[in-house]
Amino acid sequence: MASILEWLKRLFGRKLFNLEWLRSLFRRSLKFPVSFPTAGWETIPDDEIIEEEQMEELLQKNCYLPVEIGDILLSRYQVVGKLGWGITSTVWLVRDLEMNAYLALKMFSHDMLPGEESTYYDKIKQGNQQHLGSGRVRTKIAEFEYVRFEIFNHLGILHEPLGESLQDIQNRSVGERLDKLSIQSTIYQMLLALDYMHTECNLIHGDIKGDNIFQEIGDKSRLDRYVQTEIEHPSARKIDFAYTFYRSRPLEPASQLGKIQLGDLGSAYPGDVPRNGQPFQPALYRSPEVMLEKEWNYPVDIWNLGVWAWGAFEGSRLFPLKEDDDAYSTSAHLAYITGLLGPPPPDFIEPDTISAKHFDKDGNWIVEDCEVHTTSFEDLEKHLEGEDKEMFLDLMKGMITWRPEDRKTPRELIEHPWLQGICQW
């Protein structure tokens, strides 16, 4: 074979003929179910704690379903790689042997049967599919229940596979920030997604961040290459009795940002019932009405998107809080917001509430051991100039406001001048 390749290489010229591409032509096409190597992987040291291994309490309770690459679940879904993990689940690339298609499988731990999340995915599919935002929210293809030892029930939700998260893209970008065109496209597509969720599905997302925004795959051959790589270079792992801990293998990155989808409905809430005083949203993106235990609804998503987008574009947080939940301080968060937006409107302050512990009746800050430092959007923005900067800041000021009713709706923001001319696919 090598001699044939070298002959072809001489015939067509070294510059025009890629040897690795030629080898790929001679590889056997993948035939499922695939046989994966039984040795030859990197063994992760015992003292290196990875991924779900960090969740010691859940592991002690046997919460996670033990999954091996190569397993065939329910005699139908072959596991071909690990894509990621979370506190409540692990995520795998699987091959549907009946439909001859790749799917992403989110397998929940047995103590988590997220009926609400599954129901919300059903609502996403029931909305008006002609809405431009319907394709910007991740949907569920199917689900199944997997019973282990007749006592552990695991819910598996199947989705179309998606590519990199925007957090991955940001992490490998220059300055760990998204460029102007990328953030414009992202904000535009996420506003379409939120308009669809809010108006067609009556759902609040509640957890908008780079980890939950994903690129679409586009070129499906990337999935075959993913499996081929797993065969040729097995994922690093460690085996602890009956459980194998794999280091996740991401899909190869796309050459440029294209269509994206908003995923993970694990924090979603119905928006047709006003809520009051319930903890909600990740601490870094928590809106004022949630912090002050006031009534909240759809506008929390607009605040969330605005604060996240600012950090992704600027490369630094709008409110430089500590990310560790144990170190998070509502008072510090409110002080940063007050420094940027000024005092809250007087109608935000109510006696005998958390707001009265931070502000007097006129909105003046009264927390003695936490200072307010005055700043502005104009001072904090570092990457734009002139009219471009003015338009961007106008967009942000329409999203980041004390009063939720002062925030613009997704439909209004979609029409903002700074977002015009964006590729709409």
Side-chain angles (χ1 to χ4, degrees):
M1 165 127 170
S3 60
I4 295 174
L5 290 174
E6 290 299 330
W7 177 78
L8 288 171
K9 193 174 180 183
R10 287 195 299 270
L11 178 65
F12 288 95
R14 290 181 179 272
K15 291 184 178 179
L16 299 178
F17 216 82
N18 183 283
L19 187 58
E20 181 57 34
W21 176 77
L22 260 177
R23 285 197 182 100
S24 71
L25 293 180
F26 287 89
R27 283 176 182 155
R28 293 182 180 180
S29 59
L30 291 169
K31 294 183 179 180
F32 292 91
V34 169
S35 295
F36 288 93
T38 57
W41 52 75
E42 174 195 347
T43 299
I44 299 169
D46 289 338
D47 59 356
E48 182 181 344
I49 307 302
I50 66 163
E51 308 202 5
E52 68 266 32
E53 192 179 11
Q54 301 170 52
M55 311 307 296
E56 186 175 355
E57 184 176 347
L58 294 179
L59 289 168
Q60 289 175 350
K61 296 179 180 178
N62 292 308
C63 290
Y64 291 107
L65 176 69
V67 175
E68 301 271 348
I69 292 176
D71 283 353
I72 300 177
L73 305 176
L74 303 183
S75 303
R76 177 172 177 174
Y77 303 107
Q78 185 178 28
V79 179
V80 297
K82 184 182 180 185
L83 296 172
W85 73 285
I87 295 174
T88 62
S89 62
T90 51
V91 183
W92 307 84
L93 183 65
V94 300
R95 179 76 172 188
D96 184 341
L97 301 178
E98 290 186 12
M99 301 301 294
N100 293 318
Y102 290 106
L103 298 170
L105 169 63
K106 187 175 184 179
M107 183 60 70
F108 289 89
S109 57
H110 81 78
D111 62 332
M112 286 291 300
L113 290 177
E116 285 188 342
E117 181 173 351
S118 180
T119 300
Y120 296 153
Y121 278 117
D122 290 335
K123 292 189 72 173
I124 294 297
K125 293 178 68 175
Q126 293 164 6
N128 175 16
Q129 297 304 296
Q130 300 304 310
H131 189 291
L132 291 176
S134 65
R136 306 276 65 82
V137 184
R138 196 174 200 181
T139 57
K140 176 182 71 176
I141 291 177
E143 66 179 60
F144 62 82
E145 191 169 305
Y146 191 94
V147 181
R148 178 167 55 111
F149 302 140
E150 299 184 355
I151 56 173
F152 298 136
N153 296 330
H154 298 266
L155 178 68
I157 294 182
L158 294 157
H159 305 273
E160 283 283 347
L162 294 175
E164 282 187 295
S165 73
L166 258 67
Q167 188 62 56
D168 293 330
I169 295 173
Q170 182 180 340
N171 288 345
R172 63 179 174 81
S173 297
V174 176
E176 294 190 10
R177 53 176 293 268
L178 300 180
D179 61 29
K180 175 186 166 184
L181 290 177
S182 294
I183 200 64
Q184 285 176 310
S185 176
T186 298
I187 293 173
Y188 183 86
Q189 293 187 69
M190 289 301 94
L191 288 171
L192 288 175
L194 291 179
D195 188 56
Y196 177 73
M197 289 188 68
H198 294 176
T199 64
E200 296 290 335
C201 309
N202 296 324
L203 286 176
I204 304 166
H205 186 276
D207 193 11
I208 303 165
K209 57 185 179 181
D211 289 322
N212 289 337
I213 304 172
F214 302 91
Q215 281 199 283
E216 293 187 357
I217 293 290
D219 178 10
K220 302 296 185 185
S221 66
R222 292 164 63 192
L223 300 173
D224 279 337
R225 292 196 294 273
Y226 180 96
V227 179
Q228 192 69 49
T229 301
E230 183 61 44
I231 294 171
E232 297 174 358
H233 306 285
S235 295
R237 67 199 70 178
K238 67 165 73 172
I239 301 172
D240 185 1
F241 298 105
Y243 197 97
T244 301
F245 297 96
Y246 291 92
R247 180 172 288 132
S248 297
R249 183 193 298 275
L251 289 167
E252 65 183 63
S255 58
Q256 61 183 11
L257 184 68
K259 289 185 179 181
I260 57 178
Q261 292 185 22
L262 179 59
D264 195 342
L265 299 184
S267 298
Y269 270 104
D272 45 10
V273 179
R275 297 178 182 273
N276 189 6
Q278 293 174 277
F280 190 57
Q281 299 179 290
L284 295 177
Y285 307 120
R286 196 164 290 159
S287 61
E289 61 268 33
V290 173
M291 282 186 272
L292 296 176
E293 299 179 357
K294 298 176 70 65
E295 184 177 296
W296 52 263
N297 211 300
Y298 300 115
V300 297
D301 278 343
I302 299 301
W303 174 280
N304 186 168
L305 177 59
V307 175
W308 171 79
W310 179 282
F313 179 56
E314 295 296 326
S316 58
R317 294 174 184 158
L318 183 59
F319 308 119
L321 298 153
K322 295 180 179 178
E323 193 164 5
D324 186 347
D325 286 341
D326 293 334
Y328 172 78
S329 164
T330 296
S331 295
H333 200 165
L334 288 169
Y336 281 124
I337 293 172
T338 303
L340 178 65
L341 301 182
D347 59 2
F348 243 54
I349 314 304
E350 299 176 5
D352 302 321
T353 66
I354 190 172
S355 60
K357 297 178 181 178
H358 293 84
F359 305 95
D360 65 21
K361 62 182 179 61
D362 297 318
N364 298 307
W365 185 255
I366 60 173
V367 181
E368 294 183 356
D369 59 348
C370 185
E371 294 185 13
V372 171
H373 299 282
T374 302
T375 186
S376 68
F377 287 102
E378 287 76 10
D379 289 341
L380 294 174
E381 205 294 306
K382 305 296 184 185
H383 300 285
L384 298 172
E385 296 179 351
E387 186 180 6
D388 207 21
K389 179 170 181 172
E390 290 177 10
M391 287 195 295
F392 171 66
L393 296 184
D394 184 70
L395 175 68
M396 291 291 104
K397 290 175 183 179
M399 303 173 76
I400 302 169
T401 67
W402 277 109
R403 284 195 184 96
E405 58 268 29
D406 291 340
R407 288 171 219 149
K408 296 186 183 299
T409 66
R411 194 161 296 180
E412 290 171 331
L413 291 163
I414 286 168
E415 301 298 326
H416 194 278
W418 201 68
L419 300 178
Q420 302 317 298
I422 303 301
C423 178
Q424 300 181 20
W425 297 280

